[in-house]
Amino acid sequence: MELKDQIVLVTGGSRGLGAETVKAFAREGAKVVINYFKNEEKAKVLTETIGENALALRADVRDPAQVQSIFRLAKEHFGAPITTIVNNALVNFKFDPIANKDAFAVGWEDYHQQLEGAVRGALNTIQSGLPDMKEVKFGRIVNIGTNLFQNPVVAYHDYTTSKAALLGFTRNMANDLGKYGVTVNMVSGGLLKMTDASSATSEEVFQLIESSTPLRKVTDPAEVADSILFFASPWARAVNGQNLVVDGGLVMD
């Protein structure tokens, strides 16, 4: 299915990488569902910017009933089901190396919160969209990971562990859903400049990343968004269960 014919749900779609992903799909003519939880104003502004091909819907991705309502409302609004899911939502986390909890302080509740947002959120969206995807024999799911689980330059224990778990989740889903024409892949960016989540990161850290990266620059959200589009496009129709690191070559897998 061409990008222009897809109906795309982007969770956490009102800001940062999510907003850039929404803009990228809209640029290609796709219809986009902007899921937000707290940032209603940003979601409304983004919707107005895109126009009739955008729909903003509030939901907590950790709640199955709220997620199911997104799929129902989107289908009613656009007259067709969601075909493509980008699991991007980030629950209560900032990349702050100063305030980050070390091995002495991190608690199971911290891990649980991030696992709920990453893995449970992705499970809820996939299970909500799967019946329609199975019926039309097409689906594209892209989960958002991180290069930190391959190279944890800062020990963000809870966040990084949840994203490593999301990779296992991605590959199991890819194996299970391929028979229905549904692909499941992951895009893992590095620390992006600049998003709400990375706003606590100092300029010194960004300069260190820039000098250590082969492309000699910090990756920006729009560059990662374009890679997400690849997995949803016909060019990636035979790609399944993969993790693409998009960080300028800082981590080479």
Side-chain angles (χ1 to χ4, degrees):
M1 186 182 292
E2 299 287 340
L3 289 171
K4 65 181 178 59
D5 298 319
Q6 297 180 28
I7 300 176
V8 184
L9 166 65
V10 181
T11 68
S14 66
R15 61 192 180 115
L17 175 58
E20 291 298 331
T21 302
V22 166
K23 293 175 189 175
F25 275 106
R27 180 189 71 218
E28 300 299 323
K31 296 177 174 65
V32 287
V33 181
I34 305 164
N35 160 245
Y36 67 94
F37 184 42
K38 295 179 180 177
N39 293 280
E40 181 177 9
E41 186 58 34
K42 288 183 178 180
K44 285 184 176 179
V45 170
L46 186 55
T47 303
E48 291 167 2
T49 300
I50 294 171
E52 63 181 9
N53 277 354
L55 173 67
L57 294 173
R58 183 185 185 279
D60 184 342
V61 296
R62 296 167 294 184
D63 184 332
Q66 292 186 41
V67 173
Q68 289 163 13
S69 73
I70 292 178
F71 284 79
R72 184 181 68 254
L73 293 170
K75 190 174 184 179
E76 291 172 359
H77 181 83
F78 290 120
I82 289 170
T83 62
T84 308
I85 300 167
V86 180
N87 285 308
N88 168 73
L90 180 61
V91 176
N92 298 328
F93 188 84
K94 279 189 176 295
F95 298 100
D96 186 341
I98 305 301
N100 180 51
K101 294 181 180 180
D102 65 11
F104 294 93
V106 68
W108 176 246
E109 64 276 8
D110 300 306
Y111 286 99
H112 186 258
Q113 178 171 251
Q114 292 308 311
L115 287 164
E116 284 265 300
V119 181
R120 189 178 188 185
L123 177 64
N124 287 338
T125 60
I126 290 173
Q127 289 185 334
S128 296
L130 189 56
D132 282 324
M133 291 180 179
K134 182 180 177 181
E135 183 175 338
V136 300
K137 296 182 174 59
F138 179 89
R140 295 291 178 264
I141 298 161
V142 184
N143 298 323
I144 303 305
T146 177
N147 68 355
L148 286 169
F149 64 70
Q150 292 159 288
N151 183 32
V153 290
V154 177
Y156 293 119
H157 294 278
D158 47 352
Y159 170 80
T160 305
T161 300
S162 75
K163 293 299 188 178
L166 187 61
L167 178 57
F169 172 91
T170 296
R171 288 177 170 158
N172 280 286
M173 284 291 178
N175 186 26
D176 200 17
L177 303 186
K179 57 183 173 288
Y180 305 122
V182 177
T183 64
V184 190
N185 291 289
M186 176 180 275
V187 171
S188 294
L191 186 67
L192 303 179
K193 188 176 184 180
M194 175 72 76
T195 67
D196 287 356
S198 66
S199 60
T201 302
S202 68
E203 186 59 34
E204 288 76 16
V205 171
F206 282 123
Q207 288 174 357
L208 177 62
I209 293 172
E210 184 175 307
S211 64
S212 304
T213 300
L215 288 183
R216 297 297 187 267
K217 68 183 294 292
V218 179
T219 308
D220 68 53
E223 292 170 321
V224 179
D226 285 344
S227 296
I228 293 168
L229 255 64
F230 164 71
F231 279 129
S233 75
W235 297 319
R237 60 190 178 276
V239 184
N240 197 22
Q242 301 304 310
N243 176 40
L244 178 61
V245 180
V246 184
D247 65 358
L250 182 62
V251 173
M252 298 188 184
D253 185 13

